[in-house]
Amino acid sequence: MKGKGLLDRFLTGLRHPAKSDTSEEPLLDDDLQAHPLLEESSEPEVAKEEGATSVQAFMNTYRAIVGTGVLALPSAIKGCGLGYGVIFLILTAWLSLYTMKLLNRCVRRLRASVPALEGKAIEYTDIGRATFGRPGGGIVISAALACQIGSCVAYL
């Protein structure tokens, strides 16, 4: 039927590509309907863990931040020029290294001052609470949330 719109053709089912539009025969024939592509499994479903492991969460955050940076870097270099771009890139790399060293020092001091944390994973919120009290944990969570939202917005 030549007058049918795209939605009407979609709703009536897919047609064989070799046949004309006037054909009403659907793509799925009796043989395909008798042998579906996805057969039901007799195996029991495995219960999956809720949430992500620490490594998965780290990699997810890392990919979001690095991916956003890789996409934004050429535009930033173009905006400030090659000379200033390289200077700011080196400065940013140095600041990242410095903050990583500060975090490492905080983790070591926190482990030394709280024996109950020995052998356990220390999170950013633990460092925030140990440094600034209860509000510090909320500040750290808010900063992590802003970072994640910011990396999503950067793709727009």
Side-chain angles (χ1 to χ4, degrees):
M1 303 180 157
K2 287 193 170 188
K4 280 190 169 185
L6 182 61
L7 181 61
D8 291 333
R9 283 187 280 168
F10 176 77
L11 292 176
T12 56
L14 298 173
R15 310 281 180 244
H16 286 285
K19 297 192 177 201
S20 67
D21 258 356
T22 58
S23 170
E24 293 296 324
E25 182 183 334
L27 181 61
L28 297 175
D29 58 3
D30 292 333
D31 186 43
L32 284 175
Q33 289 174 356
H35 304 287
L37 296 175
L38 297 175
E39 295 182 13
E40 290 186 30
S41 175
S42 61
E43 297 176 14
E45 284 193 33
V46 177
K48 293 186 179 182
E49 289 184 24
E50 294 295 322
T53 66
S54 296
V55 173
Q56 290 170 330
F58 170 78
M59 290 307 295
N60 186 30
T61 305
Y62 176 78
R63 282 185 287 210
I65 293 170
V66 170
T68 305
V70 167
L71 289 175
L73 190 60
S75 175
I77 298 285
K78 180 183 176 187
C80 65
L82 186 60
Y84 286 123
V86 170
I87 290 170
F88 287 133
L89 189 61
I90 292 170
L91 179 65
T92 303
W94 180 81
L95 284 172
S96 295
L97 182 63
Y98 178 71
T99 56
M100 183 183 65
K101 287 181 179 183
L102 282 178
L103 280 171
N104 193 13
R105 191 179 314 160
C106 287
V107 167
R108 278 195 244 127
R109 286 189 181 174
L110 186 59
R111 283 193 194 280
S113 65
V114 182
L117 291 176
E118 192 62 38
K120 293 185 179 177
I122 295 179
E123 300 176 358
Y124 288 124
T125 53
D126 297 329
I127 296 170
R129 280 191 207 112
T131 308
F132 299 109
R134 185 169 171 88
I139 291 170
V140 169
I141 289 173
S142 300
L145 180 65
C147 180
Q148 289 297 305
I149 291 173
S151 66
C152 292
V153 169
Y155 286 108
L156 298 178

